Amino acid sequence: MSSNAYQVLEQRFARMGALNEAAGMLHWDMAAVMPEGGHGARAEQLAILNVLAHEMLTAPETGDLLEMAGAQGLDGWQQANLREMRRLHVHATALSGPQVEAMTRANAACEKAWRAARLAGDFKAVQPRLQVVLDLTREAAAAKAEKLGLSPYEALMDQYEPGALVAEITPVFDAYAAFLPEFLGRVVEHQNRRGAPVAPTGPFSVASQKALGERLMGVIGFDFHHGRLDTSLHPFCGGTPDDVRITTRYDEASFADALMGVIHETGHALYERGLPEAWRRQPVGQARGMALHESQSLIIEMQAARSHQFCRFLSPLLNETYPGNEAAFDPDNLFRLYTRVEPGFIRVNADEVTYPAHVILRYRLEQALISGDLTLGDLPGAWNEGMKQLLGLTVANDRDGCLQDIHWFDGAFGYFPCYSLGAMTAAQFFATAVVASPEIPAAIGAGDFKPLLGWLRTHVHGLGSSLTTAEIVTRATGKPLDAGVFRGHLEARYLAAA
Amino acid sequence: MSSNAYQVLEQRFARMGALNEAAGMLHWDMAAVMPEGGHGARAEQLAILNVLAHEMLTAPETGDLLEMAGAQGLDGWQQANLREMRRLHVHATALSGPQVEAMTRANAACEKAWRAARLAGDFKAVQPRLQVVLDLTREAAAAKAEKLGLSPYEALMDQYEPGALVAEITPVFDAYAAFLPEFLGRVVEHQNRRGAPVAPTGPFSVASQKALGERLMGVIGFDFHHGRLDTSLHPFCGGTPDDVRITTRYDEASFADALMGVIHETGHALYERGLPEAWRRQPVGQARGMALHESQSLIIEMQAARSHQFCRFLSPLLNETYPGNEAAFDPDNLFRLYTRVEPGFIRVNADEVTYPAHVILRYRLEQALISGDLTLGDLPGAWNEGMKQLLGLTVANDRDGCLQDIHWFDGAFGYFPCYSLGAMTAAQFFATAVVASPEIPAAIGAGDFKPLLGWLRTHVHGLGSSLTTAEIVTRATGKPLDAGVFRGHLEARYLAAA
């Protein structure tokens, strides 16, 4: 009976999985090709798909089946699948229908107000709306925390990176915050000694950038039989594991952002494509979480592509594509261009070294907001104080401060840590992979990503959600997440003699 | 209570409508942009969307609500909407689940066998599979006929063109069959007297054809804020009324097929875009049927674009796009190119004059197959006899005969009449519109489709499914469908002195 119940659950979740995949494709379409006038109909379609999937998940029969289903007679993957079904069910049923509706409405209203407030640099203009969002989020966090046996803030993180724990993250982030100021000073000094790298001169046509991007996607291992590259305002990786759609945007004055953006999204795409094929559309067949996902984009972008080896591979390709920039495309110059460190106010523009400072600031502040230790009235001041302390910068306008990111204003608390957990995890994976397969760096220099991809397929992609992120990291690297590996990577990359 | 029931039904059908729209977008994606490897996941997504919409439609609560809902308190559009809901419900519930499943499986197997049989020109190789399809179709037709109060063949037609009646179609088709042989002889003789028109010489780049197609779409009135032109193997019009996606395919050796194809699909697109906005995703807000839909593509392609007036408008555009073809692009030569008549074996290649013969043949044969008057063993012979009688051609290979079309082998009986009903209806609409707005021909010659489009918006597009096709035709033109108007159009176009 209990294994019968499990079979019925698999069928139900396959339906939800197909609905989610359909919604994913429609999201891609909306961002990449939909004409402007299609928004109304698209919103209806997506709302219906989401409601239907939600209704299936929260239906009383689903709850009954989850009660009945026991681990007996199930193999390891099936047990993990059942565990993931339960986790999704808890998240979906922890909140009442009216609660979800109120949050949806509050988030939309706040996000809209935020767009105007950010332009005006006027935090007070959006504060009342944000207060509603925060109040509802705290309520939701408390409800989920009780059901999940986590703290309220952890319950929020669990939506994005299941199993993320404050007790594990805080020491890692604190160690980095302690390490950064002196290290940053040394990096900037080291950079200044060498002078500024030579920038290439354009224009760089969209067509040439796209062709180059697709060529590099092929080099890295993107499967064009199962995916595409398109253009959208905000680059992303969408679609499904069998049909991965990545996007970028182009600037004809500079190709580096699109190039590195495509490489970054290709890392996400490889993860999706490598998920266990036997578990398509089942919870256990999905990517583990956003921190692990980010580790897969960053291991390709930051660890592999912004390396000396890859710059040597890239140099002749760039000379071929954009003749007349030989000095800029010298491999060492390319490396210096792609590893430039410069503290700034804006997270999305930050380099590899200062990026975690932006995340740590938000991580600390959102914990305080959720716990009630920090009120919204004190948020701008606390933000600016944190920026001063972490990066030595004085914020003059909230536009460059607490108004810069959409996340909180759209109700997404607990997401930020994923970015830096991903960066640190990527460093740890890469270091381990290179020990296991010492040919990896030279292969990257020859445009051969197969050794690295092989390691990732085995130790990350193919595992889906069968293990927790902590288990995946520990099994793959022999130890839990250790920020020391990331720091070591930074020291080797940013302080090495030229 | 009864109007409450109606409100609940509107909500249910809005959900089904959104699911159908989502499926429509995924179909477009599959045909236009999906990488080859996406087929498996896409089939799953579409199957689930279809199953969910079908489950909503056939759910006992839907039947109960349809019983409860009365016309009292409903306005005319609501009453029409309720009538359409009931029609859809009858179609969906007339067949049992196992019946639908058996048909789906039989159609798929037969369609696959047909692809091989057609290549080999071997009807016998697919006959057993087609027999299964035919038996199941006859069973389904009988079941639907009883519930709809129609003959079995009419019940099949009703799936594509609601309300289509044999007693109305047969006289129209018979009159055309009687008219054709002598008329065709005169047309061919008339053509031969003038000699062959000059063909333009290429190549014609895909980019130039696409730009020209989009330019003409704009001229005709396609709304690019609510739609796109893309490429697919089989041209079609898909998407939704607020996001109409048309496709074409390009041949660099000849631009005429893509050009006329784009114009044809633009006609379909104008219909979708002009459907009543207040009734989006409700049954009454949908296009009336496939015959009426075809009338809208053909009024733009055949009536408007293959006219002397449009050729005069097109001539300078073509000279500008493809210089060096002045003789071919002379307006009169263009007209002769685009109205060339030549009897042939293949329906999809047929001209405006002989196309109905292909349809009449199929209409007669499929009626006989459904009634049991014709067995599959006798089909090839009956086909060849019909071709001899209608067009004077001797079929030497079933590849050029009863194996040429996918329809029957995929279970689509009752669809063929729509093509020619559409052509005849288009002629009747156009003649009426020109009487009402005599400036229409000259406007088309000046690249101004607004007068024609205005008439179509009022008399066809904006009506959605609020009336039957017969009512729409009669109200718009003052009389029921009259093949005489179509014949008059052909006589004027094909026998006029140069």
Side-chain angles (χ1 to χ4, degrees):
Chain A
M1 181 59 210
S2 73
S3 94
N4 267 358
Y6 172 79
Q7 295 306 331
V8 178
L9 283 166
E10 265 203 7
Q11 289 159 16
R12 291 181 83 92
F13 278 85
R15 278 188 164 202
M16 296 174 218
L19 286 177
N20 292 337
E21 285 194 348
M25 297 312 308
L26 294 179
H27 268 294
W28 170 86
D29 183 271
M30 183 161 67
V33 298
M34 191 180 77
E36 200 54 38
H39 274 287
R42 184 56 45 86
E44 279 297 310
Q45 296 151 13
L46 287 170
I48 296 295
L49 293 181
N50 290 338
V51 163
L52 287 171
H54 185 79
E55 283 180 2
M56 284 183 207
L57 182 54
T58 58
E61 305 87 64
T62 304
D64 295 345
L65 288 162
L66 286 169
E67 293 264 329
M68 282 193 292
Q72 222 185 352
L74 301 185
D75 69 22
W77 277 85
Q78 292 171 323
Q79 288 178 33
N81 200 25
L82 185 58
R83 182 196 68 212
E84 291 305 308
M85 290 172 179
R86 290 196 167 119
R87 200 180 65 76
L88 293 170
H89 186 254
V90 167
H91 271 288
T93 54
L95 308 183
S96 70
Q99 238 178 325
V100 172
E101 212 184 309
M103 289 173 75
T104 305
R105 221 176 293 117
N107 294 348
C110 182
E111 196 232 282
K112 199 177 160 201
W114 164 74
R115 290 187 190 278
R118 185 173 68 154
L119 272 179
D122 182 2
F123 178 74
K124 286 221 169 328
V126 68
Q127 191 181 324
R129 297 259 188 216
L130 183 58
Q131 190 66 56
V132 180
V133 169
L134 178 60
D135 291 345
L136 289 166
T137 303
R138 293 182 65 201
E139 222 177 274
K144 291 192 169 188
E146 202 196 314
K147 298 241 187 178
L148 291 161
L150 296 169
S151 77
Y153 181 69
E154 285 168 335
L156 295 174
M157 284 199 294
D158 197 76
Q159 301 170 321
Y160 309 111
E161 177 59 32
L165 297 175
V166 167
E168 289 170 8
I169 299 171
T170 298
V172 167
F173 281 4
D174 283 351
Y176 194 82
F179 155 85
L180 183 60
E182 195 226 325
F183 177 71
L184 183 57
R186 289 166 65 202
V187 169
V188 171
E189 195 190 332
H190 184 77
Q191 260 181 189
N192 290 345
R193 268 203 307 276
R194 298 209 52 194
V198 181
T201 54
F204 311 98
S205 74
V206 167
S208 66
Q209 290 191 52
K210 178 154 200 263
L212 183 64
E214 288 183 331
R215 186 165 171 184
L216 291 172
M217 287 164 71
V219 162
I220 295 169
F222 187 92
D223 178 358
F224 284 97
H225 186 64
H226 288 277
R228 297 173 49 101
L229 168 66
D230 293 275
T231 307
S232 72
L233 188 59
H234 301 286
F236 68 100
C237 171
T240 74
D242 291 317
D243 185 359
V244 190
R245 309 278 176 104
I246 73 170
T247 69
T248 190
R249 63 182 159 202
Y250 301 100
D251 173 359
E252 298 213 325
S254 165
F255 65 83
D257 283 358
L259 184 78
M260 285 299 162
V262 164
I263 289 170
H264 180 95
E265 300 305 334
T266 298
H268 283 305
L270 295 177
Y271 185 15
E272 288 290 318
R273 181 80 198 107
L275 289 168
E277 194 162 357
W279 295 95
R280 290 279 189 268
R281 290 174 288 281
Q282 290 295 320
V284 76
Q286 308 305 303
R288 176 65 281 188
M290 295 319 297
L292 205 62
H293 228 307
E294 198 66 12
S295 81
Q296 296 309 293
S297 53
L298 291 174
I299 200 168
I300 298 297
E301 181 199 348
M302 289 294 174
Q303 298 294 319
R306 293 191 197 250
S307 67
H308 283 291
Q309 289 84 0
F310 191 73
C311 289
R312 278 198 284 277
F313 170 75
L314 196 55
S315 175
L317 291 192
L318 292 179
N319 277 320
E320 183 189 306
T321 310
Y322 302 117
N325 277 299
E326 287 71 15
F329 296 160
D330 166 77
D332 182 57
N333 189 75
L334 275 182
F335 174 78
R336 288 164 62 210
L337 279 171
Y338 295 155
T339 57
R340 194 88 187 142
V341 173
E342 199 172 355
F345 296 106
I346 305 298
R347 176 184 61 85
V348 297
N349 297 338
D351 57 75
E352 187 180 16
V353 172
T354 59
Y355 200 110
H358 294 272
V359 167
I360 292 165
L361 171 64
R362 288 154 178 78
Y363 171 75
R364 290 171 175 174
L365 294 176
E366 65 184 9
Q367 278 183 278
L369 288 170
I370 296 299
S371 72
D373 289 348
L374 178 67
T375 64
L376 286 183
D378 292 334
L379 176 61
W383 181 290
N384 299 351
E385 215 172 284
M387 273 306 274
K388 185 84 199 165
Q389 188 202 330
L390 283 157
L391 286 175
L393 297 173
T394 304
V395 177
N397 187 312
D398 289 338
R399 206 169 33 220
D400 295 331
C402 65
L403 281 174
Q404 69 182 270
D405 289 314
I406 190 174
H407 300 57
W408 295 337
F409 303 92
D410 196 29
F413 290 81
Y415 188 99
F416 283 119
C418 297
Y419 296 114
S420 289
L421 293 173
M424 294 172 181
T425 306
Q428 194 162 326
F429 282 150
F430 194 77
T432 308
V434 169
V435 170
S437 304
E439 75 275 23
I440 285 176
I444 289 171
D448 176 10
F449 279 69
K450 282 191 285 301
L452 174 59
L453 184 53
W455 191 91
L456 293 172
R457 287 271 186 260
T458 305
H459 293 90
V460 183
H461 304 177
L463 302 177
S465 289
S466 65
L467 302 173
T468 66
T469 296
E471 286 168 343
I472 290 172
V473 171
T474 304
R475 287 201 191 188
T477 69
K479 60 179 175 184
L481 180 63
D482 171 5
V485 181
F486 181 62
R487 293 196 300 270
H489 153 73
L490 296 181
E491 284 167 337
R493 172 169 284 180
Y494 292 92
L495 296 180
Chain B
M1 183 57 209
S2 73
S3 92
N4 267 359
Y6 172 79
Q7 295 305 331
V8 178
L9 282 166
E10 265 203 7
Q11 289 160 16
R12 291 181 84 92
F13 277 85
R15 278 188 163 201
M16 295 174 218
L19 286 177
N20 291 337
E21 286 194 349
M25 298 312 307
L26 294 178
H27 267 293
W28 170 85
D29 182 272
M30 182 162 67
V33 298
M34 190 180 79
E36 201 53 38
H39 274 287
R42 183 56 46 86
E44 279 296 310
Q45 295 151 13
L46 287 171
I48 296 296
L49 293 181
N50 290 338
V51 163
L52 288 171
H54 185 80
E55 283 180 3
M56 283 183 206
L57 182 52
T58 58
E61 305 86 62
T62 304
D64 294 345
L65 288 162
L66 286 170
E67 294 262 331
M68 281 193 293
Q72 223 185 352
L74 301 185
D75 68 22
W77 277 85
Q78 292 170 323
Q79 288 178 32
N81 200 25
L82 185 57
R83 181 196 68 212
E84 292 305 308
M85 291 173 177
R86 289 197 166 119
R87 199 180 67 74
L88 294 170
H89 186 254
V90 168
H91 271 289
T93 55
L95 309 183
S96 70
Q99 237 178 324
V100 173
E101 212 185 308
M103 289 173 75
T104 306
R105 222 176 292 116
N107 293 348
C110 182
E111 195 232 283
K112 198 176 160 201
W114 164 73
R115 290 186 189 278
R118 185 172 68 153
L119 272 179
D122 182 2
F123 179 74
K124 287 220 171 323
V126 69
Q127 192 182 323
R129 297 256 186 220
L130 183 57
Q131 189 66 56
V132 179
V133 168
L134 179 60
D135 291 346
L136 289 166
T137 302
R138 293 181 66 202
E139 220 177 275
K144 291 192 169 189
E146 201 196 315
K147 298 241 186 178
L148 292 162
L150 295 170
S151 76
Y153 181 69
E154 286 168 335
L156 296 174
M157 284 198 294
D158 197 76
Q159 300 169 322
Y160 309 111
E161 177 58 31
L165 297 175
V166 167
E168 288 170 8
I169 299 171
T170 298
V172 166
F173 281 4
D174 283 351
Y176 194 82
F179 156 85
L180 183 61
E182 197 225 324
F183 178 70
L184 183 57
R186 290 166 64 200
V187 168
V188 170
E189 194 189 332
H190 184 77
Q191 257 182 193
N192 289 347
R193 269 201 308 274
R194 298 208 54 194
V198 182
T201 55
F204 311 98
S205 74
V206 167
S208 66
Q209 290 191 52
K210 177 154 200 264
L212 183 63
E214 288 182 332
R215 187 165 170 185
L216 291 173
M217 288 165 71
V219 162
I220 295 170
F222 187 92
D223 179 357
F224 283 97
H225 186 65
H226 288 278
R228 297 174 48 102
L229 168 66
D230 293 275
T231 308
S232 71
L233 188 59
H234 301 286
F236 68 100
C237 170
T240 74
D242 290 318
D243 186 358
V244 190
R245 309 279 175 103
I246 73 171
T247 70
T248 191
R249 62 182 161 203
Y250 300 101
D251 173 359
E252 298 212 325
S254 165
F255 65 82
D257 283 358
L259 184 78
M260 285 299 162
V262 164
I263 290 171
H264 180 95
E265 300 306 334
T266 298
H268 283 304
L270 294 178
Y271 185 13
E272 288 290 318
R273 181 79 198 108
L275 289 168
E277 194 162 358
W279 295 95
R280 290 279 190 266
R281 290 174 287 283
Q282 290 295 319
V284 76
Q286 307 304 304
R288 176 65 279 188
M290 296 318 297
L292 205 62
H293 229 307
E294 198 66 12
S295 81
Q296 297 310 292
S297 53
L298 291 175
I299 200 167
I300 299 297
E301 182 200 347
M302 289 294 174
Q303 298 294 319
R306 293 191 197 251
S307 68
H308 282 292
Q309 289 85 358
F310 192 73
C311 288
R312 279 198 283 277
F313 170 75
L314 196 55
S315 175
L317 290 192
L318 292 178
N319 277 319
E320 182 189 307
T321 311
Y322 302 118
N325 278 298
E326 286 72 15
F329 296 159
D330 167 77
D332 182 59
N333 189 74
L334 276 181
F335 174 78
R336 288 164 61 211
L337 280 171
Y338 295 155
T339 56
R340 193 87 188 146
V341 174
E342 199 172 353
F345 297 107
I346 304 298
R347 176 183 61 86
V348 297
N349 296 338
D351 56 75
E352 189 181 14
V353 172
T354 59
Y355 200 109
H358 294 273
V359 167
I360 291 166
L361 172 65
R362 288 154 177 78
Y363 171 74
R364 291 171 175 175
L365 294 176
E366 66 184 8
Q367 278 184 278
L369 288 170
I370 296 300
S371 71
D373 289 347
L374 177 67
T375 62
L376 286 183
D378 291 334
L379 177 60
W383 182 289
N384 299 351
E385 216 172 284
M387 274 305 274
K388 186 81 197 167
Q389 189 202 328
L390 284 158
L391 287 175
L393 297 174
T394 303
V395 177
N397 187 311
D398 290 338
R399 206 169 33 221
D400 295 330
C402 66
L403 281 173
Q404 69 182 272
D405 288 316
I406 190 175
H407 301 57
W408 295 339
F409 303 92
D410 196 29
F413 290 81
Y415 188 99
F416 282 120
C418 297
Y419 296 114
S420 290
L421 293 173
M424 293 173 183
T425 305
Q428 194 162 327
F429 282 150
F430 194 77
T432 308
V434 168
V435 170
S437 305
E439 75 274 23
I440 285 177
I444 289 171
D448 176 10
F449 278 69
K450 282 193 284 302
L452 174 59
L453 184 53
W455 191 91
L456 293 173
R457 287 272 185 261
T458 304
H459 293 90
V460 183
H461 303 177
L463 302 177
S465 290
S466 64
L467 302 173
T468 67
T469 296
E471 286 168 342
I472 291 172
V473 171
T474 304
R475 287 201 192 189
T477 69
K479 60 180 175 184
L481 180 62
D482 171 5
V485 182
F486 182 59
R487 292 197 300 270
H489 153 72
L490 296 181
E491 283 168 336
R493 172 169 286 179
Y494 291 92
L495 296 181

